[in-house]
Amino acid sequence: VKTLPRKFAIVAGAAATALLGLVAGPQAAGATTWVTIDGSGSSWSSVALDQWSQDLASSGITINFTPDGSAAGRTDYIDGQDDFAASDPPFRNGTDKIANDGSELPIPWGYSYVPDTAGGTAFMYHLDVGGRQITNMRLTGQTIMEIFTGKITNWDNPAITKDYGEQLPSIPIIPVVRSDGSGATFFFTRWMAYMWPTQWNAFCAQVTHGRVTSDCGQTEFYPTGWGNVQAENGSNNVATYITSSYANGAIGYDEYAYALNSHYPVVSISNPAGYYVQPSASNVAIALTQAVINNNKNDPDYLQQNLNSVYTFTDPRSYPLSSYSYLIVPKTGTKEPTQFANTPGAGATLSQYIDFFLCGGQKQSAALGYSPIPLNLVEGGLYQAALIPGHVPEPNVDNYNSCPNPTFTNGQLTILKNAPYPTACQKITAPLNCTVGSNGKAKSSGSKTGSTGDSPTSGPSGAVNPAGNGSNTTGPNTGTGAPVNGQSVSLASNGVDQPVFGALTALAIVAAIALPPGVGFWMRRRRRRVTR
Amino acid sequence: MYRLARRARGPASPWPARILALSGLAVIALGVVLLPGAPRSLAQAAGSSRPASITVHGPHMLNPNTINPNTGAAKDYTYPSTVTVSQTNDLVNQTIQVTWSGFTPTPAATLPYTASTTLYPVLVAECKGIHPTFSQCFGTNNGGVANTLGSPSNAIFTATAPDGRGLADIQIFTQVQNQTLGCSAQQRCSILVMPAQGGGINANGFAASCNNHSLDSQGAALGQYDFGLGQPEFPCSWAKRIIIPLSFSPATANCPIATANLNIIGSPMLLRAMDQWDTGLCEQANPLTIGYNPFLPEQTAIQTVQSGGGDVALTTRPAPSLVSGSVRYTYAPVAVTAVSIAYYVDDALTGLPFTNLKLTPRLLAKMLTTSYNLGDVSCSTDTGSGKSLCDPGIYGKNPEDIFADPDFTRLNPGVNINTVALGNASSAADVPIVQSGHSDMTYEVTRWIAANQDAQNFLDGQPDPWGMHVNTNYLPTKQIPQLYPTDAFLAQDPSPQAARAYSPVFPLSLAVTEMLNSAPPGTQDFLSIDSNDSAFNYQHFPAEVPGQRALFAVLDSGDTSAYLMPTAAILNHAGRYVQPTQRSMAAALQSMVTASNGITQQLNLNSSNPAEYPLTMVIYAMVPTHGVSTTKAAQIARWLRYVAGPGQVQGSSPGQLPPGYLPLPAALQTEAMNAANAVQDQSGAPTGHTTHTTTPSPSASVSPSPAGKVKATKPSSGISLPTVAPKITLVSVRDPQAAGGLRYILPITLIVGGLAALTGSSLLVGDTGAALGARIIRVLNPRTLRRKTRKIK
């Protein structure tokens, strides 16, 4: 029960001073006092949320975020115990048939949704064959669905052989799911329910023992007790399980950041254009251009996403399991959650945090395994932040000094503009030992590259293959400040040769693309200072 | 670190002249004791910005052995009580330690603390003002009921040991954390130490003399009455309170929110230092804004930087290559830190934490391999075969937990299953909280374990002298011929009990938070039947309650120092048990071995120096010496000169080095300055250091792969021992990419080095003055000081 009264409010003026400081350079020390604010929820987005609070630590802003899962975060908000919640799905409106959970609406307080980051739900897997770890797994969406509905139970299944391009030995599949209420589960099951309604409904009927037979829909609570399923509480425990020595054959889903930390590969998933793609920042951004965003500012679900067209998008780069995550924040003119109401100054701190991550913070996304969000969501998010009681003045997204978001070029996401296309070898029909010829077409190479020689768990020798080595990736421009225009970067060949490292490289490249604008900004600042 | 330094100083007051001692009767008559702390001016006159402990003498406390069973009359001890507070000035949001002696002991049978069962407890709280009323002390108005974890109170209800001593670590709230208290440079606050003293009530339940203790054992000495405002017992205890004034740092961190000039990635151990340095840099006249990402593991950080995703990578182990495209890199030492083995283990007899535990590599290996019998749980059986799922090597054979292991109890007399309050800890006690993913910390810990012959024998399957066997799931296999060293902790025992308890955490800051909240990250091995849980879920272990904790964690000394976590004294190669202190870390630096790159150093696990702490680590910045723009190069060089120069002055002000880190010794500082010059020059000249010889080894330096077997009896492959006497030796640089220009490297290095020494030292002087001028103290990274735990339904 958190009812800590916080009486000594900071005045809005102090917060305004801080914002002025942002524009006018360093301000006098001691001008601003922020209050510590608390949030909880999405572990999917928590690595990004943590990075942004780390970025603000030197400005005296403290955000306590507990990554206890989206469902728990929303419950905390409903209970009035948080200043904000982080949730991948919106408040449940009564459609979680599998969990048999009722609607969370109406809740006692007002709220609005602020998009924070985009990302791909990645399938991290552990597959050792003959002492070597498979790192180039590729699967169609259909196969993934059949694995997670218990239809495909062994890695030697013909469907996997067809997708992967090579017969694997008999290794039972261990599907790893989240046992706690999770946004990752929500988006994954929503995708399956939309794409394969018949199979999904049949699965629902099976796991609910006939309670749910039709229009099953998505759930935040993945059913357990079927096949080989292994349930784990929280992202960390999912990663721990998959990387354990006894989890050969395991495959689980979560945000890409966790696979990055574990140096584990993630599956290349086929998209409707017929290419196997990784959840890279650019592939996610491409996919989400098709998200239908609720644009009614008066609707409580303003800025919420409908992903149906994302799933079916036919751009060859699109990673179909892409989505946005949100903060749930108090709203002016409505009842405020207990803790927030008792914390004068919480609104200034919270809105400053949001303003920061929607502007300058977005450039951090790619390196962490996420993807920056597009301009309309940045603008909508800033609009919502300006509806938080006690908010700081809204930054101007058109003024780089006010909102230094370097992820756009002329209003479009830069990574979108420069997003590399997959190679011919990523086509679903391409053989496993495919290499890209000098003409850009696929050809079979003599040797198969089924796995990397070193286990990624063995330390730097195996885990770190410096990007740019041994692949036809163009060496990313390393921070010289020179513009990086239209790099002919082949994410694809990386994806085939060394999926893990390729993906890492891809992220790094995206970061490299995002970096020069930052450098440019610095140079502009520098010039400004000189002319002053 | 200063926790240890302070303790070494003993209970004697550094300012005896300031001590105000009052007799017990006088205290009761006055009704209040206000014991002034050292004024700020005194600390400043002493020329030290370092926090100093303060000891005050308080009233004479009740001696319960003198209670007359007929009249209830009792005497006080003949000696006054004392209270020591680890720091009272320049406070930020941090933990301080309050210790006392000469207090009324708490009968062990009444522990752990509850308001309605524990006799003669002690309340420690933070209060508004320096003459607070009881109501102005935060979190005290619950009738002695301790706020459980998950609530925002920092008040502590605890006990006094039979010898009259006790301690409490209390988190200090500033106005940022708590506006009710509102503590700031303008609003002084204070620490309340209030002993329950019983008395005040007679057999008829009416208010009586404070000297009527006839009902103490029946309830008059309980927290619910003695700390219950309005109760007849309350005034008797309030009269013996001790108030120690606190003063706060003038301001918190206040950098403008701006786009970072430099992006620095890696070494999560450096988080606290980076936060203070970043603040120092942004507060300079020409601010340098740092974006720091502590979430990527070191080797990933190197890769990310070398592929353009950042400017500087922080690492302890060297990079696979110092060349990436047209960019060349070198290493610059920026900090010395250590892995510390933190624990919260509470004494069932006193309710107080143990603070003097020792650990060996084998004991840590036993925990990390889940080789204890996990609280002797009932073992589940496989539904199909009916076979036990528990490991046959441990189930029913090995000790149920570390406190039942003679290997541990022989080292730690008095700490055993009879004295440790396991509470709800059970199997969580046997599995330390560790960082997940790939980490240099993990590598150093497991390298230390593997270098110890006893530990290695145990891991190889030989029982220890008491017959304990390693969990067979961790035995060497063809695939993994040697478990350690490794840079990632992996779960290997699939039995539900072990698998669910074993839960490495990402990122490191979350592991710190879990430990701080005594909330083990593992889950129960059974499915929840809680109706609040929508699905059948594996619930997290409940947070452990102070007074009943048994938890270990592998963390870093920056965090354990900031939060005053007890850390284990661990066995070094000379056979001594050593704590991570400034002295022991400095000793470890003396004998470090240099990798074949000629720069990066790692601990020498074969050193015979008894003083050294064997988990000491040097953190290096991998910085570009060729291939970046001049502006970028100048920024990186400036950053390096700052952090390796004025940034090595210890303190909690912006720009200073926080506790838990050892300032770089002169040789490493010079090395960093050389690197800074090389970065500025962008000529691609390698840098090096000249204090240790290096045996060139064609096989790349410190091999992190399991194949690089490290034994106590011989140096690990690629690691060369330093010569005994430090002497100036030319460095052989074996970086293959640089080999072509090798013959030019030495003269250039020496020239650059000489220049750097000059430039660096002059800069150092200038910057130190600037840093000392900065008087703004920022919040000591309160981000991880979460007042809230995971919700447990």
Side-chain angles (χ1 to χ4, degrees):
Chain A
V1 182
K2 295 174 55 177
T3 52
L4 172 60
R6 306 180 188 185
K7 286 177 185 161
F8 290 76
I10 66 154
V11 287
T17 312
L19 199 77
L20 279 174
L22 191 154
V23 181
Q27 78 242 42
T32 313
T33 303
W34 306 101
V35 297
T36 300
I37 55 172
D38 297 305
S40 61
S42 169
S43 60
W44 191 90
S45 61
S46 72
V47 178
L49 296 174
D50 277 354
Q51 174 69 64
W52 294 325
S53 33
Q54 166 61 28
D55 290 337
L56 291 177
S58 64
S59 303
I61 291 179
T62 308
I63 313 288
N64 287 332
F65 183 73
T66 306
D68 53 2
S70 292
R74 292 197 312 276
T75 303
D76 290 346
Y77 189 87
I78 291 168
D79 293 346
Q81 296 180 12
D82 270 340
D83 297 303
F84 69 93
S87 180
D88 310 325
F91 282 111
R92 188 171 52 240
N93 59 10
T95 56
D96 198 329
K97 289 192 183 176
I98 291 184
N100 207 12
D101 269 355
S103 173
E104 289 170 336
L105 298 171
I107 69 162
W109 338 103
Y111 62 90
S112 24
Y113 298 112
V114 175
D116 48 48
T117 187
T121 295
F123 293 88
M124 177 174 162
Y125 61 99
H126 181 166
L127 201 51
D128 292 336
V129 175
R132 293 164 79 85
Q133 186 178 16
I134 302 285
T135 57
N136 58 351
M137 182 49 60
R138 47 189 197 177
L139 296 170
T140 58
Q142 168 111 11
T143 304
I144 286 280
M145 178 274 293
E146 292 186 355
I147 287 172
F148 280 89
T149 53
K151 198 173 168 204
I152 294 176
T153 58
N154 195 298
W155 288 100
D156 69 1
N157 186 289
I160 293 177
T161 307
K162 182 162 177 285
D163 293 354
Y164 180 56
E166 194 173 289
Q167 171 83 48
L168 292 168
S170 169
I171 298 171
I173 297 175
I174 310 168
V176 185
V177 303
R178 288 276 293 275
S179 72
D180 55 327
S182 147
T185 302
F186 177 93
F187 285 122
F188 178 35
T189 57
R190 190 183 185 283
W191 173 69
M192 290 192 285
Y194 182 82
M195 298 296 288
W196 299 276
T198 312
Q199 290 96 320
W200 182 246
N201 285 338
F203 177 69
C204 287
Q206 176 202 332
V207 295
T208 61
H209 307 291
R211 177 171 58 78
V212 182
T213 52
S214 61
D215 299 329
C216 177
Q218 74 281 351
T219 179
E220 272 189 279
F221 300 87
Y222 212 103
T224 54
W226 52 273
N228 238 350
V229 69
Q230 177 72 26
E232 294 291 338
N233 189 339
S235 300
N236 265 309
N237 286 324
V238 166
T240 297
Y241 183 85
I242 293 173
T243 56
S244 73
S245 66
Y246 44 84
N248 193 19
I251 178 170
Y253 57 88
D254 217 315
E255 216 291 326
Y256 192 27
Y258 292 90
L260 275 179
N261 177 56
S262 304
H263 293 183
Y264 255 63
V266 300
V267 176
S268 293
I269 302 284
S270 74
N271 61 25
Y275 286 88
Y276 290 115
V277 289
Q278 289 266 304
S280 69
S282 61
N283 291 345
V284 166
I286 292 281
L288 288 172
T289 57
Q290 301 306 300
V292 177
I293 302 298
N294 181 328
N295 273 321
N296 181 357
K297 286 186 177 179
N298 300 317
D299 188 325
D301 281 341
Y302 174 49
L303 300 184
Q304 273 298 340
Q305 57 197 329
N306 182 324
L307 298 170
N308 293 350
S309 306
V310 171
Y311 305 151
T312 55
F313 190 32
T314 53
D315 188 293
R317 300 163 293 183
S318 174
Y319 186 78
L321 275 143
S322 300
S323 55
Y324 298 111
S325 188
Y326 297 84
L327 291 197
I328 295 170
V329 301
K331 187 174 187 177
T332 295
T334 62
K335 202 171 171 207
E336 298 169 20
T338 312
Q339 158 146 344
F340 183 89
N342 288 333
T343 312
T349 308
L350 176 59
S351 59
Q352 180 57 76
Y353 176 58
I354 293 169
D355 291 348
F356 170 76
F357 73 60
L358 287 176
C359 294
Q362 286 297 308
K363 73 169 180 163
Q364 309 262 28
S365 304
L368 293 167
Y370 297 87
S371 183
I373 62 175
L375 187 59
N376 60 329
L377 289 189
V378 169
E379 287 170 336
L382 293 174
Y383 172 84
Q384 304 278 56
L387 291 179
I388 295 172
H391 64 90
V392 298
E394 185 181 357
N396 178 0
V397 77
D398 297 325
N399 177 345
Y400 194 82
N401 288 328
S402 172
C403 180
N405 184 327
T407 63
F408 302 112
T409 308
N410 298 328
Q412 194 194 24
L413 277 173
T414 312
I415 57 164
L416 247 172
K417 210 175 140 193
N418 297 334
Y421 279 86
T423 66
C425 284
Q426 283 175 281
K427 200 133 182 54
I428 51 171
T429 51
L432 187 60
N433 58 355
C434 173
T435 55
V436 182
S438 54
N439 58 358
K441 291 196 171 147
K443 62 176 184 183
S444 291
S445 72
S447 63
K448 295 194 173 186
T449 52
S451 64
T452 58
D454 296 300
S455 157
T457 62
S458 65
S461 60
V464 177
N465 182 359
N469 284 4
S471 76
N472 58 353
T473 308
T474 59
N477 205 321
T478 12
T480 56
V484 183
N485 291 327
Q487 291 191 26
S488 55
V489 173
S490 168
L491 284 185
S493 61
N494 256 334
V496 171
D497 292 332
Q498 296 168 324
V500 193
F501 311 128
L504 278 167
T505 312
L507 280 167
I509 290 162
V510 168
I513 292 165
L515 200 64
V519 174
F521 169 58
W522 183 86
M523 292 174 77
R524 277 198 296 281
R525 271 169 53 102
R526 179 96 182 152
R527 276 197 291 275
R528 198 179 63 228
R529 205 171 284 132
V530 169
T531 54
R532 206 159 36 204
Chain B
M1 284 314 102
Y2 58 77
R3 179 173 68 85
L4 300 158
R6 175 172 39 72
R7 195 168 283 156
R9 208 179 292 140
S13 162
W15 294 282
R18 300 271 156 186
I19 293 166
L20 185 58
L22 297 172
S23 77
L25 281 175
V27 166
I28 292 167
L30 282 168
V32 61
V33 186
L34 176 63
L35 298 156
R40 277 180 62 85
S41 57
L42 187 70
Q44 282 159 0
S48 167
S49 62
R50 306 270 312 267
S53 69
I54 283 186
T55 300
V56 297
H57 287 204
H60 295 243
M61 298 298 178
L62 168 74
N63 180 350
N65 298 326
T66 63
I67 297 174
N68 182 320
N70 300 320
T71 64
K75 288 180 176 147
D76 289 333
Y77 290 112
T78 53
Y79 44 86
S81 58
T82 67
V83 171
T84 301
V85 179
S86 62
Q87 180 184 347
T88 59
N89 60 334
D90 273 339
L91 290 166
V92 294
N93 174 224
Q94 66 183 86
T95 300
I96 61 173
Q97 191 168 65
V98 181
T99 54
W100 55 89
S101 67
F103 274 42
T104 311
T106 304
T110 66
L111 290 170
Y113 177 82
T114 73
S116 55
T117 58
T118 303
L119 295 173
Y120 304 116
V122 177
L123 163 62
V124 181
E126 184 180 3
C127 313
K128 182 173 189 169
I130 56 174
H131 302 281
T133 64
F134 187 69
S135 307
Q136 285 175 312
C137 295
F138 191 73
T140 58
N141 59 351
N142 295 326
V145 176
N147 276 295
T148 50
L149 283 166
S151 75
S153 171
N154 58 351
I156 292 169
F157 294 87
T158 185
T160 298
D163 64 358
R165 294 174 182 272
L167 72 84
D169 292 329
I170 180 169
Q171 188 200 143
I172 295 301
F173 289 158
T174 71
Q175 63 179 352
V176 178
Q177 289 76 38
N178 188 305
Q179 291 76 48
T180 303
L181 287 166
C183 306
S184 69
Q186 289 74 41
Q187 172 63 60
R188 294 193 77 186
C189 288
S190 52
I191 287 285
L192 163 72
V193 182
M194 180 173 171
Q197 290 288 287
I201 193 164
N202 64 23
N204 301 322
F206 294 115
S209 152
C210 282
N211 200 31
N212 184 347
H213 293 277
S214 55
L215 291 183
D216 277 13
S217 60
Q218 279 115 67
L222 293 173
Q224 62 180 324
Y225 303 122
D226 289 20
F227 304 142
L229 196 58
Q231 300 289 343
E233 295 93 333
F234 172 84
C236 303
S237 297
W238 178 246
K240 290 202 181 181
R241 73 192 179 278
I242 295 162
I243 305 283
I244 293 144
L246 305 175
S247 63
F248 286 75
S249 170
T252 56
N254 205 7
C255 290
I257 295 158
T259 303
N261 300 121
L262 285 181
N263 287 302
I264 300 177
I265 312 175
S267 290
M269 300 171 84
L270 203 56
L271 178 63
R272 291 179 167 276
M274 285 295 285
D275 279 353
Q276 279 192 196
W277 290 336
D278 295 355
T279 310
L281 279 163
C282 88
E283 288 177 350
Q284 290 197 331
N286 177 18
L288 186 67
T289 313
I290 307 297
Y292 176 47
N293 172 348
F295 302 106
L296 293 185
E298 289 86 350
Q299 294 296 323
T300 310
I302 289 168
Q303 191 190 20
T304 305
V305 167
Q306 292 194 346
S307 52
D311 302 306
V312 176
L314 298 170
T315 186
T316 293
R317 290 183 297 165
S321 165
L322 283 177
V323 178
S324 173
S326 62
V327 185
R328 272 179 256 170
Y329 296 91
T330 191
Y331 306 101
V334 292
V336 180
T337 180
V339 181
S340 38
I341 317 295
Y343 58 87
Y344 287 126
V345 177
D346 292 333
D347 186 338
L349 305 180
T350 63
L352 299 173
F354 288 108
T355 55
N356 52 358
L357 298 193
K358 294 177 187 166
L359 287 179
T360 62
R362 182 170 60 204
L363 284 166
L364 192 60
K366 288 174 173 181
M367 289 195 281
L368 290 169
T369 54
T370 56
S371 292
Y372 288 108
N373 197 7
L374 297 174
D376 206 16
V377 289
S378 57
C379 195
S380 12
T381 49
D382 182 59
T383 43
S385 63
K387 270 173 60 181
S388 163
L389 287 173
C390 290
D391 176 55
I394 62 172
Y395 184 62
K397 295 176 184 165
N398 283 354
E400 63 189 65
D401 58 50
I402 192 169
F403 309 110
D405 182 359
D407 196 12
F408 176 84
T409 53
R410 86 194 152 105
L411 269 184
N412 297 284
V415 187
N416 54 54
I417 40 171
N418 298 318
T419 60
V420 171
L422 267 178
N424 56 16
S426 67
S427 50
D430 303 328
V431 189
I433 301 173
V434 297
Q435 196 185 355
S436 78
H438 295 252
S439 152
D440 284 1
M441 277 175 66
T442 303
Y443 183 72
E444 285 300 301
V445 170
T446 54
R447 201 167 69 92
W448 168 70
I449 292 173
N452 178 277
Q453 199 61 56
D454 289 341
Q456 188 59 57
N457 289 344
F458 178 79
L459 291 172
D460 285 340
Q462 295 178 29
D464 77 358
W466 301 270
M468 178 167 171
H469 191 273
V470 69
N471 185 322
T472 55
N473 294 291
Y474 286 83
L475 280 172
T477 61
K478 205 176 132 205
Q479 209 175 337
I480 308 173
Q482 186 164 342
L483 185 67
Y484 296 151
T486 175
D487 71 352
F489 289 119
L490 297 180
Q492 294 187 203
D493 182 348
S495 73
Q497 290 82 357
R500 301 230 156 260
Y502 195 90
S503 181
V505 168
F506 162 71
L508 176 63
S509 55
L510 186 57
V512 173
T513 306
E514 307 269 23
M515 184 62 175
L516 201 58
N517 292 336
S518 308
T523 54
Q524 313 273 16
D525 65 331
F526 49 85
L527 287 163
S528 161
I529 48 166
D530 187 336
S531 60
N532 288 330
D533 206 342
S534 299
F536 284 98
N537 194 0
Y538 291 99
Q539 295 283 342
H540 283 277
F541 286 127
E544 297 182 7
V545 182
Q548 311 174 63
R549 297 169 300 179
L551 276 176
F552 291 87
V554 178
L555 303 174
D556 67 289
S557 63
D559 281 307
T560 55
S561 297
Y563 297 123
L564 298 177
M565 290 177 190
T567 55
I570 60 170
L571 184 68
N572 66 19
H573 189 64
R576 299 289 177 84
Y577 291 88
V578 183
Q579 286 261 13
T581 62
Q582 302 281 295
R583 188 174 158 268
S584 66
M585 285 158 69
L589 281 184
Q590 297 291 321
S591 63
M592 284 214 169
V593 289
T594 307
S596 61
N597 59 41
I599 307 174
T600 59
Q601 294 190 301
Q602 262 184 316
L603 193 105
N604 176 6
L605 288 164
N606 297 307
S607 167
S608 56
N609 183 347
E612 73 178 45
Y613 184 71
L615 294 175
T616 306
M617 292 167 69
V618 183
I619 295 178
Y620 294 89
M622 187 192 75
V623 289
T625 54
H626 180 74
V628 302
S629 70
T630 46
T631 44
K632 181 65 78 183
Q635 287 172 337
I636 296 171
R638 180 179 161 199
W639 175 77
L640 259 186
R641 288 171 183 141
Y642 183 83
V643 302
Q648 298 297 318
V649 176
Q650 286 181 307
S652 51
S653 299
Q656 293 184 324
L657 189 70
Y661 301 90
L662 174 74
L664 288 177
L668 290 182
Q669 249 178 335
T670 305
E671 213 173 287
M673 296 307 166
N674 290 352
N677 292 346
V679 171
Q680 182 130 32
D681 292 349
Q682 287 295 296
S683 62
T687 63
H689 74 139
T690 52
T691 48
H692 296 298
T693 48
T694 304
T695 306
S697 163
S699 64
S701 68
V702 188
S703 167
S705 72
K709 189 157 172 149
V710 183
K711 284 283 184 188
T713 48
K714 62 177 193 307
S716 68
S717 65
I719 299 181
S720 57
L721 288 172
T723 49
V724 177
K727 57 177 181 179
I728 307 291
T729 315
L730 297 181
V731 178
S732 313
V733 178
R734 288 286 157 170
D735 193 348
Q737 284 82 4
L742 196 64
R743 60 202 163 117
Y744 300 111
I745 285 167
L746 293 176
I748 292 171
T749 308
L750 290 173
I751 293 164
V752 167
L755 288 171
L758 284 171
T759 324
S761 53
S762 60
L763 278 167
L764 192 143
V765 171
D767 277 359
T768 306
L772 288 178
R775 296 192 48 199
I776 305 100
I777 304 205
R778 62 168 303 263
V779 171
L780 188 69
N781 185 29
R783 187 177 65 77
T784 50
L785 249 180
R786 299 181 182 184
R787 290 175 285 107
K788 182 180 163 190
T789 53
R790 177 190 307 116
K791 261 175 71 91
I792 294 143
K793 287 174 193 159

